[in-house]
């Protein structure tokens, strides 16, 4: 099969063309929104107790009669959310490509919201005049703007390279005569140059080159069906004198773009690294095995048992190459249930331990939908598992110039674009467009979750080998609490690390310092368990 999987033509969509083809003309604003606090000279008083907190901060003012107004009595506290965005003549951010805008979560029932959250915004160097911060209260029917200010670009740090970024703290006072007059907003900002990346294009291309000590090989794992769509690919980085190995299982719509992680955790410790691009994922699209871009990571059978073959063959190839002293399993996101499903069916004899990076262990909205509505879906759709959920439509602004890829209209993802901005990857190996989930994928995940619960209910274990589950409260894809709680279901020899600011893939965070911290945490665990 020959399929052109190269980048689409962006000539008729200048917003995208500028972003992806002239990225050095952009810069990133790394925002750490701390929250709202009382001014030092505030006349409000309070002990800080839960009851007393309702009488200060952004809470409605006390009237001259010494009591709350009727409106205040109904709604004594706030449900605040914050929006920060770039502004200027030409920032490179639009409603349909909001790389320069972030909405922070609503903090319920508090007069002093503390977000303690990070985000990265991207804007053109020449066209961005600054950042606009707005705080609103959605607790009063129509949202009420409590605070709005513009931070001039000249008041922000100079753009720098990762590793030497200047961080500036800003304290923005509330306006007199408003509900914010006794409080101030605190945040910190760093600015990185668009030309500076954690993973560069050159890094990505260089990882496929052989060196004096290490070779790169790709091995095709053919399925007994004989269909190209059922092929998998094993990427192999092999040393001349290895002692250890790791099988790296990708997440959904993922690719290996983690040389900055593999070098510190594995290559420097004598590990060979084997990356499994299971069916319809990662490099499979670049190989021409994925004909519909919306089926990236799709599971046609609706059963993750189809990936058991991919892992079995990978382990066979690993064993044939070398008799390693230690073999670890690594999995991110959906790679978690894929690897756990293998362990439930085949056991853990091939491995000595595991690292799970934000594994998808809890049946959340999408999977629950597939489970609850499976019978309805079978009646409504002839090709049940192939049904796409939530296909993105071309924005109205681009209806005459849609982005077409592999003969299908696709919509560029600002979420993926932000990752690409800091960690370069090839369009053909990881989607930069919005990929709908499919019922086949959702069914596959749900079945693994059901079987994992059965193991737990039967007081059995998936593995007795040591394993690490590392995730973050700032996970923008899965629920951190659910991830940590389900770690208990895998086995007793668990270590759980809950970071604060890292993103869903803890190794591709918006702040390089958070990525470095995640790597260090895993290194400590590996040393503790004798996997160094």
């Amino acid at each position: 099969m020959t399929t052109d999987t190269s980048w689409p033509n962006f000539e008729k969509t200048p917003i995208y063309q500028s972003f992806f083809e002239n990225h050095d003309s952009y810069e990133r604003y790394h925002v750490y929104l701390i929250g709202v606090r009382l001014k030092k000279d505030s006349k409000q008083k309070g002990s800080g107790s839960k009851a007393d907190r309702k009488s200060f901060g952004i809470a409605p003012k006390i009237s001259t009669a010494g009591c709350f107004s009727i409106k205040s009595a109904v709604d004594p506290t706030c449900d605040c959310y914050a929006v920060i965005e770039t502004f200027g003549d030409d920032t490179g951010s639009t409603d349909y490509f909001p790389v320069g805008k972030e909405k922070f979560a609503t903090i319920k029932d508090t007069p002093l919201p503390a977000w303690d959250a990070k985000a990265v915004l991207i804007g053109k160097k020449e066209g961005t005049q600054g950042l606009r911060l707005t705080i609103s209260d959605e607790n009063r029917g129509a949202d009420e703007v409590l605070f709005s200010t513009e931070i001039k670009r000249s008041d922000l740090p100079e753009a720098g390279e990762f590793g030497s970024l200047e961080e500036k703290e800003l304290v923005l006072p509330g306006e007199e005569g408003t509900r914010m007059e006794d409080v101030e907003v605190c945040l910190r900002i760093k600015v990185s140059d668009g030309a500076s990346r954690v993973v560069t294009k050159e890094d990505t291309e260089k990882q496929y080159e052989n060196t004096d000590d290490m070779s790169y090989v790709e091995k095709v794992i053919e399925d007994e069906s004989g269909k190209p769509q059922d092929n998998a690919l094993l990427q192999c980085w092999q040393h001349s004198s290895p002692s250890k190995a790791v099988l790296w299982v990708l997440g959904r719509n993922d690719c290996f773009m983690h040389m900055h992680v593999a070098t510190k955790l594995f290559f420097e410790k004598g590990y060979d690294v084997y990356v499994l691009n299971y069916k319809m994922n990662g490099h499979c699209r670049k190989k021409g095995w994925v004909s519909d871009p919306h089926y990236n990571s799709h599971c046609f059978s609706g059963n993750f048992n189809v990936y058991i073959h991919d892992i079995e063959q990978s382990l066979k190839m690993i064993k044939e190459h070398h008799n390693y002293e230690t073999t670890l399993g690594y999995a991110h996101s959906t790679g978690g249930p894929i690897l756990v499903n293998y362990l439930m069916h085949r056991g853990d004899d091939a491995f000595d331990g595991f690292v799970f990076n934000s594994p998808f262990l809890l049946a959340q909205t999408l999977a629950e939908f597939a489970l609850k509505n499976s019978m309805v879906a079978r009646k409504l759709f002839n090709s049940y598992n192939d049904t796409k959920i939530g296909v993105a439509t071309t924005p109205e602004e681009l209806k005459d110039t849609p982005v077409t890829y592999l003969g299908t209209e696709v919509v560029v993802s600002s979420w993926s674009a932000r990752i690409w901005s800091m960690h370069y990857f090839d369009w053909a190996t990881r989607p930069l467009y919005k990929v709908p989930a499919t019922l086949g994928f959702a069914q596959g995940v749900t079945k693994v979750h059901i079987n994992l619960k059965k193991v737990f209910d039967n007081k059995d274990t998936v593995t007795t080998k040591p394993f690490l589950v590392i995730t973050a409260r700032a996970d923008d894809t899965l629920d951190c609490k659910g991830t940590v709680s389900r770690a208990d279901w895998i086995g007793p020899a668990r270590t759980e690390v809950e970071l604060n600011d890292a993103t869903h893939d803890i190794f591709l965070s918006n702040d390089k310092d958070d990525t470095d911290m995640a790597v260090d945490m895993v290194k400590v665990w590996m040393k503790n368990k004798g996997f160094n």
Side-chain angles (χ1 to χ4, degrees):
M1 174 184 289
T2 58
T3 305
D4 182 11
T5 59
S6 59
W7 287 72
N9 189 334
F10 288 136
E11 288 183 359
K12 296 182 179 180
T13 50
I15 287 291
Y16 298 150
Q17 184 178 41
S18 174
F19 187 89
F20 292 113
E21 298 179 15
N22 191 26
H23 201 67
D24 289 1
S25 65
Y26 289 74
E27 59 187 8
R28 307 177 200 90
Y29 312 99
H30 304 266
V31 179
Y32 172 31
L33 180 59
I34 301 170
V36 175
R37 70 187 183 193
L38 281 175
K39 294 178 182 177
K40 292 182 179 180
D41 60 351
S42 171
K43 297 178 181 179
Q44 296 184 17
K45 297 180 180 180
S47 65
S49 68
K50 183 176 180 181
D52 195 44
R53 283 173 65 87
K54 291 180 180 287
S55 65
F56 63 89
I58 310 178
K61 292 179 177 296
I62 298 177
S63 70
T64 56
C67 61
F68 285 103
S69 66
I70 295 177
K71 186 177 182 181
S72 301
V74 172
D75 185 15
T77 57
C78 305
D79 293 343
C80 290
Y81 64 89
V83 174
I84 189 162
E85 57 191 324
T86 55
F87 72 89
D89 297 332
D90 181 16
T91 66
S93 181
T94 67
D95 289 341
Y96 61 84
F97 190 56
V99 290
K101 184 176 182 178
E102 180 73 15
K103 179 179 179 181
F104 292 88
T106 301
I107 308 296
K108 297 284 188 179
D109 297 324
T110 177
L112 291 174
W115 282 278
D116 187 28
K118 293 183 178 181
V120 61
L121 312 180
I122 306 173
K124 288 185 177 181
K125 297 175 183 176
E126 296 299 325
T128 301
Q129 297 174 1
L131 304 180
R132 180 183 296 112
L133 174 63
T134 304
I135 297 176
S136 301
D137 180 8
E138 66 177 20
N139 201 35
R140 297 173 170 272
D143 294 353
E144 176 187 355
V145 175
L146 300 175
F147 179 86
S148 183
T149 190
E150 292 184 348
I151 308 167
K152 295 180 180 180
R153 177 62 187 89
S154 57
D155 292 331
L156 300 177
E158 291 297 317
E161 297 184 358
F162 287 112
S164 59
L165 298 183
E166 174 192 355
E167 184 174 60
K168 184 173 183 179
E169 183 173 34
L170 299 174
V171 178
L172 310 174
E175 185 178 350
E176 292 294 324
T178 71
R179 291 173 58 194
M180 295 278 290
E181 66 178 352
D182 286 309
V183 297
E184 55 194 15
V185 182
C186 306
L187 68 159
R188 298 174 187 165
I189 298 178
K190 295 185 285 189
V191 183
S192 63
D193 195 301
S196 176
R197 279 183 154 118
V198 177
V199 178
T200 67
K201 181 178 180 181
E202 293 71 24
D203 293 335
T204 300
E205 294 172 345
K206 189 177 180 180
Q207 71 183 17
Y208 306 123
E209 299 175 1
N210 293 332
T211 66
D212 293 339
D213 184 52
M214 188 164 59
S215 62
Y216 174 73
V217 180
E218 294 182 353
K219 297 186 178 182
V220 177
I221 301 174
E222 295 183 347
D223 190 84
E224 59 185 12
S225 71
K227 299 178 181 179
Q229 69 185 31
D230 292 330
N231 288 345
L233 184 75
L234 186 67
Q235 296 175 276
C236 314
W237 283 268
Q238 300 166 330
H239 289 86
S240 55
S241 300
S243 59
K244 300 177 280 287
V246 57
L247 177 61
W248 183 298
V249 185
L250 300 173
R252 176 177 177 265
N253 298 327
D254 194 10
C255 73
F256 181 75
M257 46 190 287
H258 300 72
M259 193 59 75
H260 61 299
V261 177
T263 298
K264 295 178 180 179
L265 291 183
F266 301 119
F267 292 139
E268 293 178 355
K269 308 299 180 183
Y271 279 82
D272 284 352
V273 175
Y274 296 86
V275 177
L276 174 58
N277 300 252
Y278 50 85
K279 296 173 177 61
M280 302 293 289
N281 199 22
H283 276 250
C284 293
R285 179 158 49 88
K286 189 169 186 176
K287 293 295 182 182
W289 303 335
V290 180
S291 57
D292 184 338
H294 286 158
Y295 278 152
N296 205 91
S297 298
H298 174 44
C299 181
F300 286 98
S301 67
N303 193 320
F304 278 12
N305 287 352
V306 297
Y307 303 124
I308 292 177
H309 171 77
D310 298 350
I311 295 179
E312 281 182 332
Q313 292 302 306
S314 296
L315 291 171
K316 179 181 178 181
M317 293 174 180
I318 292 172
K319 189 173 182 180
E320 288 175 348
H321 176 74
H322 189 81
N323 184 23
Y324 294 99
E325 298 174 5
T326 301
T327 300
L328 295 181
Y330 168 93
H332 167 58
S333 195
T334 298
I338 287 176
L339 181 55
V340 165
N341 187 60
Y342 169 86
L343 297 174
M344 288 192 291
H345 283 81
R346 296 291 188 266
D348 61 3
D349 289 347
F351 298 95
D352 296 287
F354 307 90
V355 176
F356 293 100
N357 168 3
S358 302
F360 187 5
L361 299 178
L362 177 64
Q364 297 174 337
T365 306
L366 186 58
E368 289 173 353
F369 170 84
L371 178 64
K372 295 177 181 177
N373 298 281
S374 59
M375 294 307 296
V376 175
R378 287 183 186 277
K379 295 178 181 179
L380 292 178
F381 306 107
N382 293 327
S383 55
Y384 162 61
N385 286 327
D386 294 344
T387 301
K388 302 171 184 177
I389 306 172
V391 178
T393 57
T394 296
E396 184 66 22
E397 297 90 336
L398 302 179
K399 65 178 181 179
D400 295 328
T401 57
V403 177
T404 302
Y405 176 62
L406 299 181
T408 301
E409 285 190 17
V410 296
V411 178
V412 175
S413 164
S414 61
W415 182 84
S416 297
R418 294 187 199 198
I419 297 175
W420 177 89
S421 174
M422 290 180 59
H423 312 85
Y424 179 88
F425 57 89
D426 183 2
W427 172 284
T429 60
R430 175 172 176 148
L432 267 161
Y433 55 89
K434 298 178 181 179
V435 181
T438 62
L439 288 180
F441 162 78
Q443 278 285 91
V445 171
T446 301
K447 290 173 183 176
V448 175
H449 291 165
I450 291 173
N451 290 334
L452 180 59
K453 187 177 186 303
K454 289 179 180 178
V455 170
F456 179 74
D457 290 343
N458 291 333
K459 302 187 185 306
D460 202 349
T461 60
V462 175
T463 180
T464 57
K465 305 289 178 65
F467 68 92
L468 169 68
V469 171
I470 181 167
T471 184
R473 289 189 290 278
D475 191 325
D476 50 2
T477 302
L478 300 177
D479 175 59
C480 175
K481 292 181 179 179
T483 299
V484 173
S485 68
R486 290 300 185 268
D488 299 351
W489 294 14
I490 297 176
R494 63 190 177 276
T495 300
E496 300 162 4
V497 175
E498 185 178 323
L499 303 171
N500 189 50
D501 300 311
T503 51
H504 179 50
D505 187 335
I506 59 168
F507 297 135
L508 302 178
S509 293
N510 294 328
D511 189 326
K512 182 179 180 297
D513 292 341
D514 295 322
T515 295
D516 293 342
M517 180 179 178
V519 172
D520 290 342
M521 290 289 187
V522 178
K523 286 176 67 175
V524 168
W525 177 83
M526 290 176 63
K527 181 178 180 180
N528 179 265
K529 300 302 178 183
F531 294 138
N532 270 4

